[in-house]
Structure formats: structure tokens, C-alpha cells
């Protein structure tokens, strides 16, 4: 009976501890949901919080042309300042600010015909929620009377905003929606500044085709919409360049064990590995390819290698691995490179961009989310200048004529769909523990190491 | 059909099946002896993985030490789980009724939620593992298949553990007492076996082995996320039902059968549509579960009731 008495206390304490853990975990893990609900309830309050930062500040700072502006062009957008895209949202916001600053202060405003306009950004926080997006975009159009729109971050949110822009016939520029499917809906007013998903591995395939026309490629990718689109794009490019695709395999979401897949690919004689999906599976795929002694000349994986954790986990196995990036610090796009291609340069140079970003963000360094955002406004500004009008139909038509180079790369859209066709993904390769941009040549800072010696000669 | 692809998948299925079988040994003991359905199976497995990971990444200890510590932590966890959750529900009762079974089931369910959220809170959803660590050579070639040595290490440990547990249950007095309680708790207590002691021992052993298997799961999978719990828990139940409640050898054999069926169906489905081969192969395990429940509910090595 004594023992029974003791166990009663033990039980009570154990339940208390478990209760505390559960409580703590619930408290830690649910703020996202809670916030969403409160926001939906206090819709009106949150929505009326229109913030127009930077813009007023810019006006007071602009001393060169105090009276030169014929008016203001309002660009509306939502930014994810809370929720799962809060990190990306912050970069995007700073990216927008840099573009506005450059246009108003350095470029001296957007020239529309013989008039010069100041640019101002109007935005709301969409809290990373696709449910919030349509309502906020309607508000931007009907109440704030913005002239043009920028899409929110991510393909999911862009899909939510696109119908609103389309219904109201207002041009919307996508800076964070890479999905090709956005541009297969027949939208007439949506254009893309970043490279679409289907082109993610194209540059890697091009690089390999230049170095090794006999490469035997294994395409191993996550069985999910984004990775499958990337893989299809890679497959098309592999065929176009005449490389051999000896093995193709989609794997399940969340897969961590690749023993049979890698063995099958080795049995098929593949010496180049392309694919990936998210961070976890991409890292595991490369890790096991290494541990299984797969002799690879080239490895091109989406998403995972871009993160510093990839290098931390894989150490020497990270070297030689390539990944595609929309933009990376150190890209060498320049007015000279534009001249060589016979196209116009627009916007700040890369050095100026990084400097301006530092000023705007209070000492920060831009990443590709910021660069995409800046490039989207530059892209739009150029189209407005080419159109010589603030009419959305005229500007959309002008987008088809715009073929420029910026610090972000070349920008040109497909006239029919608005899909980005000028911009090229840069290829970054881990070389001796450091990221080096290796392709395309006009952006490269180092030459690619192919075959990857640590992988091939072991 | 390409013979090498068949061989690759069969070998991999076999290697995985051994891990799967061992992971279910603890579950089959708890279920068989105490009628405790451990709904926290997946999370308890992960306990072993995370113990080894912490020791490796935070303290730089060899994963082999980590595995041993995982086993010890598992034994202690079994002790705590018995006194905190199970003793009051099953300790003093002679016949475990449906009501008691439901209570233990709910208690283990609560434990699974608490543990899972604890893992998400402490380790996040990112994969964690031993990185590029391996014992000696990273890989060897067997039967036209390249195998990571970590997987062979995991399988060897699993086979040895199953053998030890089998001998313990078969040859020692304590082990025989456990089997006696499994067969008839009332009769066992009549011949002087202390049921509380046996139930405590079973929980310590069952949870300990399950936690230990987490180390092997980690070696096999190379990295784990809390999500892995949802992959291994349902499969463990299939293995227990197929192998027969309370049968350690049955568990191992059933694990191997499931692994091989998985490998085989992957190859067959791949011939038609590679995009769906993984999910279809995994679902065959549950088709096996339905068939077993319909035609041989006591399992391969189970006793007819």
C-alpha cells in the first residue's frame, strides 16, 4: 500500500509535467492561428492601418527637383510582415524601398511622356494569408486608387491576388511567384519579373551540356507541384541540348532514405544528378549519394544547397554541388554586359544596389527576395516610361517591348502570357566551402568545377 | 524487368524490414503482456533518435555511445512511464477489461501528443542526423547493391537485440514469468509471480527496446524529423498484428515480410507508373493488415484464442 501511495504522487507530478509541456507547446506553436483569427475578427481595424513609409521621407529628402513632379504614381501591394513569409516579406519591403528611392532620387522620377512623376508605395500586411490577399487588393484598387500593383510574395498568394488585378484590369508584376501555372490561366494583366519554376535547372543543364555533351543524367525529384515543374523544365532542356536522361524518379514528400533510388540510378550508369525538392530531402539525397560512393561529375539540386546549413551538415560533400538562384550577391551583370548584348541597362549597378540596400535597411545585406522585389518595380517603371502613359493596357503592351538588363539580370516577358523569358537563373557552386557564381558567364565570378573532382575521383 | 533493379529493391526491403521488425518488438510485448496499446510508439522510437543526435551534435560523442545511452534512457523512460501512467490503471488489476484497455490507450495517446510537440518545440521540423558519420567505410557492395555501412550496423544491432530478447524470454526465470503473465495473469499470480513486478519489467523492457530501435531507425534513415513518427507507428502495428501479439520472433519475421513486400511492390508499380510507386508500395503493407485480420487474426506466430 505504501508503494501505491508513492505512485499517486508520482502520477500527479508526471501529469503536471506533461500538462506543462503540452501547455507550453500549445502556447508556442499556435500564435500563428490565433493571430489569423483575431485579425479576421478585427478586420476593419487592421485594414485601416495604411502605412506609407519611405515615400514621405523620400519627398522631403528630394531637393534636386522640388517642383518637377507632375504627380505621384501609386504602386499598391501587400507584404507578408507576419506569418510564415515574414522573413521574406521584410526583405521584399526593403527591396521595394530601394527601388522607390532609386527612381525618385537617382533617376529623378518616372518619365511619362514629357511629365515626370514621383513614385510611392502603398501596402498592407497580408500576414502570409491567401485569404487576406483578395480583400486587401480590392481595397488598394477601389479605395486607395493605386495605379499599378505588385503581387504578394509566393506563388500561392500571387494566385490569390491575380484574379483581383485581372477583374479590375490593372497591371500586376510578380516578384515572388515562380510557379508557371499562374501564367497559364489566361491572365492579361499579370507579368513576371523572376524566372519561372520550369527554368530553375535550365542554366545547370546548359552549363553541363557545354562542359560534357556525353553526360548521363539522373533526374531525382520530389513528387510535388513545384519540384515536378522544375524537373519537367530540366527534362525539356536535357532533350534540347542532346544530353542523355538515363534515369528519372520522383520520390515521396518527406523522403529521407534514398538507398534504392540511388542504387537504381547508379545501375543505370548516371554520372550527373539533378533534382531535389525541399531542404530536408535535397540534403539527404546528396548526403546518401556521397555515402554510397556514387561517382558524379555534376550535381545540381534546387533549394537545399542555397542554405548555409547544407554546408554545415555535408561538409566536404557539399563541394561541387550546384544550385540555381534568382540572384546572389556577387553577380556581375553590368552596363558593359548589357552593351555587349545590345540591350539597355536600367537601374542601379550591383555595387550601388548593395550600398542603397544597406542604407535603406539600416545595415542589412540583400538576398534574392529583396533583389526580386527591387527588380519588379524597376521592370514596371521601365514599362511605364516606354508606354508614356499611366493606362494599364498601354503599360501591359509596353511590357512586351521592354528588353532590359538590370542588376538582377535581363528582363523580358513572353507577350502572350506575361511569363518571364529574359531572366536567367544563375548557377552557384560550392567551391572549397564557399558559394561561387559560375554561370552564366556574364554573371559569373568563378569558373565552374566540372567534373567535381571530390565526387568523381574517389 | 531489370533484374538488378529487382535485386536492389529486395535487398533494401530486407534491410529495412529488419529495422521495422525490431522497432515493433517493444510494442508487441506491451500489447501482448499488458494489453497496453502504445499509441506513442512513433514518438517513443524518436526518443532514441534524438538522444543519440543530441549526444553527437552537442557533446561530440560517438553515435555508438549515443546508441547505448539511448537504450539506458529508454529503460529509465519505461520505468517512469510505468509509475506515472500505467501502474494506476493496470498494476493492481487481475483481469484487464476493455475499459482499462481504453484508459491505457488514452494515456499513451496523451503521451504521444506531448512527446511529438516537445520534439517540434525542441528540435523543429528540420531533419537531424549524424551527418557524414559512418563506421569505417561509408559503403560496401553486396549482391550488386551498394549499401551504407550504417544500415548494416543498424541491422546487425537489431538482429543481436532480437536474439538477446528471445533468449531472455525463453531461458530466464524472469523471462518465463513474463510469458506466464502473457498467457494467464491470474494463474501466474497463483504460482507466486508478482504481477506488478512483471508489468513493471515488461514496460521497462518494452519502452527500452522501442527507444533503442530509434537509434537504428536513425542509422537507417540517415536523418529524422518528428514526422518520422507517423511513418513508423502505423507500420509497427501492422508488424505486430502480422507477427502475432507478444511474439518477438514473429515481429522480426513480419517486419522482414513487410519490407520485402514493400520493395517488391515498388518495383512492380514502377513498371506502370513511377510517380505513384512509393505511396502504393506503402499502402500494400496495410492491405496485408486487412487480409491478416480477415483470414488469420492471430498472426503468423500468435496463439489462437
Amino acid at each position: 500500500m505504501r508503494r501505491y501511495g508513492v505512485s499517486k504522487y508520482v502520477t500527479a507530478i508526471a501529469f503536471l509535467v506533461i500538462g506543462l509541456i503540452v501547455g507550453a507547446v500549445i502556447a508556442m506553436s499556435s500564435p500563428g492561428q490565433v493571430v489569423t483569427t483575431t485579425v479576421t475578427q478585427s478586420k476593419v481595424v487592421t485594414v485601416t492601418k495604411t502605412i506609407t513609409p519611405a515615400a514621405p521621407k523620400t519627398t522631403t529628402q528630394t531637393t534636386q527637383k522640388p517642383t518637377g513632379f507632375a504627380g505621384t504614381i501609386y504602386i499598391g501591394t501587400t507584404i507578408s510582415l507576419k506569418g510564415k513569409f515574414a522573413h521574406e516579406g521584410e526583405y521584399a519591403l526593403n527591396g521595394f524601398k530601394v527601388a522607390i528611392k532609386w527612381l525618385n532620387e537617382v533617376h529623378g522620377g518616372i518619365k511619362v511622356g514629357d511629365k515626370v512623376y514621383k513614385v510611392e508605395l502603398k501596402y498592407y500586411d497580408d500576414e502570409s494569408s491567401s485569404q487576406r490577399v483578395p480583400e486587401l487588393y480590392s481595397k488598394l484598387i477601389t479605395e486607395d486608387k493605386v495605379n499599378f500593383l505588385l503581387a504578394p510574395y509566393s506563388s500561392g498568394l500571387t494566385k490569390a491576388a491575380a484574379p483581383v488585378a485581372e477583374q479590375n484590369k490593372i497591371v500586376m508584376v510578380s516578384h515572388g511567384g515562380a510557379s508557371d501555372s499562374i501564367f497559364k490561366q489566361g491572365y492579361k494583366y499579370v507579368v513576371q519579373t523572376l524566372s519561372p519554376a520550369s527554368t530553375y535547372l535550365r542554366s545547370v543543364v546548359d552549363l553541363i551540356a557545354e562542359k560534357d555533351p556525353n553526360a548521363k543524367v539522373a533526374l531525382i525529384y520530389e513528387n510535388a507541384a513545384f519540384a515536378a515543374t522544375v524537373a519537367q523544365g530540366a527534362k525539356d532542356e536535357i532533350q534540347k541540348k542532346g544530353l542523355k536522361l538515363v534515369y528519372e524518379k520522383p520520390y515521396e514528400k518527406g523522403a529521407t532514405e534514398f538507398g534504392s533510388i540511388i542504387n537504381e540510378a547508379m545501375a543505370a550508369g548516371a554520372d550527373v544528378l539533378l533534382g531535389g525538392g525541399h531542404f530536408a530531402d535535397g540534403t539527404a539525397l546528396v548526403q546518401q549519394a556521397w555515402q554510397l560512393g556514387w561517382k558524379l561529375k555534376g550535381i545540381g539540386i534546387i533549394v537545399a544547397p542555397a542554405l548555409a546549413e547544407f554546408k554545415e551538415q555535408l561538409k566536404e560533400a557539399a563541394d561541387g554541388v550546384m544550385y540555381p538562384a534568382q540572384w546572389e550577391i556577387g553577380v556581375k551583370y553590368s552596363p558593359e554586359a548589357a552593351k555587349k548584348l545590345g540591350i539597355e541597362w536600367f537601374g542601379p549597378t550591383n555595387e550601388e544596389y548593395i550600398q542603397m540596400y544597406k542604407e535603406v535597411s539600416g545595415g542589412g545585406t540583400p538576398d534574392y527576395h529583396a533583389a526580386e522585389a527591387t527588380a519588379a518595380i524597376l521592370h514596371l517603371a521601365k514599362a511605364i516610361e516606354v508606354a508614356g502613359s499611366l493606362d494599364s493596357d498601354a503599360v501591359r503592351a509596353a511590357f512586351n517591348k521592354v528588353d532590359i538588363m538590370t542588376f538582377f539580370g535581363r528582363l523580358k516577358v513572353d507577350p502572350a502570357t506575361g511569363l518571364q523569358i529574359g531572366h536567367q537563373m544563375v548557377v552557384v557552386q560550392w567551391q572549397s566551402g564557399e558559394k561561387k557564381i559560375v554561370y552564366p558567364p556574364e554573371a559569373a565570378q568563378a569558373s565552374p568545377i566540372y567534373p567535381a573532382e571530390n565526387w568523381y575521383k574517389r | 524487368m531489370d533484374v538488378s533493379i529487382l535485386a536492389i529493391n529486395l535487398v533494401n526491403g530486407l534491410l529495412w524490414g529488419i529495422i521495422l521488425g525490431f522497432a515493433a518488438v517493444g510494442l508487441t510485448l506491451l500489447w501482448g503482456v499488458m494489453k497496453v496499446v502504445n499509441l506513442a510508439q512513433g514518438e517513443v522510437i524518436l526518443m532514441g533518435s534524438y538522444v543519440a543526435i543530441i549526444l553527437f551534435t552537442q557533446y561530440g560523442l560517438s553515435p555508438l555511445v549515443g546508441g547505448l545511452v539511448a537504450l539506458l534512457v529508454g529503460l529509465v523512460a519505461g520505468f517512469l512511464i510505468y509509475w506515472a501512467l500505467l501502474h494506476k490503471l493496470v498494476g493492481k488489476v487481475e483481469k484487464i477489461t476493455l475499459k482499462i484497455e481504453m484508459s491505457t490507450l488514452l494515456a499513451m495517446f496523451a503521451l504521444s501528443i506531448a512527446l511529438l510537440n516537445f520534439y517540434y518545440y525542441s528540435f523543429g521540423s528540420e531533419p537531424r542526423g549524424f551527418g557524414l558519420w559512418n563506421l569505417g567505410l561509408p559503403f560496401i557492395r553486396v549482391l550488386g547493391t551498394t549499401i551504407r555501412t550504417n544500415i548494416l550496423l543498424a541491422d546487425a544491432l537489431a538482429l543481436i537485440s532480437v536474439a538477446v530478447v528471445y533468449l531472455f524470454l525463453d531461458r530466464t526465470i524472469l523471462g518465463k514469468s513474463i510469458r506466464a503473465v502473457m498467457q494467464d495473469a491470474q494463474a501466474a499470480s497463483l504460482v507466486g509471480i508478482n504481477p506488478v513486478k512483471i508489468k513493471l519489467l515488461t514496460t521497462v523492457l518494452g519502452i527500452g527496446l522501442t527507444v533503442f530501435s530509434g537509434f537504428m531507425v536513425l542509422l537507417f534513415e540517415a536523418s529524422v524529423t518528428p514526422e518520422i513518427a507517423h511513418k513508423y507507428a502505423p507500420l509497427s502495428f501492422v508488424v505486430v498484428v502480422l507477427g502475432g501479439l507478444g511474439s518477438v520472433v514473429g515481429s522480426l519475421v513480419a517486419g522482414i515480410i513487410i519490407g520485402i513486400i514493400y520493395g517488391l511492390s515498388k518495383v512492380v508499380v514502377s513498371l506502370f507508373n513511377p510517380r505513384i510507386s512509393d505511396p502504393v508500395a506503402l499502402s500494400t503493407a496495410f492491405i496485408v493488415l486487412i487480409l491478416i485480420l480477415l483470414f488469420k487474426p492471430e498472426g503468423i506466430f500468435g496463439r489462437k484464442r
Side-chain angles (χ1 to χ4, degrees), chain A residues 137-154:
Chain A
Y137 274 81
S138 300
K139 189 175 155 55
L140 283 166
I141 295 165
T142 52
E143 289 180 32
D144 300 314
K145 308 266 186 245
V146 298
N147 304 84
F148 303 101
L149 292 168
L150 296 165
Y153 177 75
S154 88

Side-chain angles (χ1 to χ4, degrees), chain A residues 1 3-4 7-8 10-12 14-15 18 21-22 24-26 28-29 221-225 228 247-252 254-261 263-267 279-281 283-284 286-288 290-294 313-318 458, chain B residues 2 4-5 8-9 12 80 83-85 87-88 92 107 110-111 113-115 117-118 120-121 125-134 138-139 141 144-148 150-151 194 196-197 220-225 228 231 266-267 270 274-279:
Chain A
M1 284 319 266
R3 195 188 257 168
Y4 181 75
S7 81
K8 216 155 110 184
V10 175
T11 315
F15 276 116
I18 291 173
I21 293 172
V22 174
V25 166
I26 290 171
M28 294 302 294
S29 64
Y221 55 96
E222 187 188 33
N223 199 355
Y247 182 75
E248 186 194 351
K249 184 89 178 182
Y251 57 80
E252 266 330 275
T256 51
E257 209 285 310
F258 293 95
S260 348
I261 291 180
N263 267 294
E264 287 177 14
M266 284 198 279
F279 176 71
D281 45 310
T283 310
V286 176
Q287 175 190 352
Q288 284 163 46
W290 176 266
Q291 284 186 320
L292 286 172
W294 190 358
Q313 289 198 12
L314 298 190
K315 310 211 164 59
E316 70 267 27
R458 55 179 177 140
Chain B
D2 192 338
S4 68
I5 288 188
I8 287 165
N9 282 283
N12 269 283
L80 293 176
W83 286 115
L85 293 176
H87 179 71
K88 216 163 162 209
K92 295 285 179 184
L111 179 70
I113 293 173
L115 280 177
N117 285 289
F118 174 72
Y120 273 120
Y121 173 67
S125 53
E126 292 84 42
R128 290 178 185 252
F130 298 140
L132 291 180
W133 178 87
N134 36 248
F139 64 90
R141 284 191 68 82
T145 310
T146 312
I147 303 164
R148 281 187 289 131
N150 285 359
I151 291 183
N194 178 352
V196 172
K197 200 171 128 191
F220 182 84
E221 297 279 349
S223 58
V224 295
T225 66
I228 286 266
K231 179 179 172 190
K266 220 159 83 166
V267 175
S270 278
R275 282 190 77 96
I276 58 166
S277 67
D278 275 16

Side-chain angles (χ1 to χ4, degrees), chain B residues 80-114:
Chain B
L80 293 176
I81 287 173
Y82 180 77
W83 286 115
L85 293 176
L86 300 177
H87 179 71
K88 216 163 162 209
L89 298 169
V90 297
K92 295 285 179 184
V93 292
E94 288 190 337
K95 190 162 167 45
I96 292 167
T97 60
L98 186 64
K99 193 181 158 205
I100 295 171
E101 253 183 84
M102 291 316 284
S103 307
T104 54
L105 189 118
L106 284 176
M108 298 315 275
F109 184 53
L111 179 70
S112 91
I113 293 173

Side-chain angles (χ1 to χ4, degrees), chain A residues 359-388:
Chain A
E359 287 163 23
V360 161
S361 64
T365 322
D367 75 345
Y368 72 91
H369 299 106
E372 285 164 5
T374 310
I377 292 188
L378 294 176
H379 198 190
L380 174 63
K382 188 70 209 175
I384 296 171
E385 289 192 349
V386 169

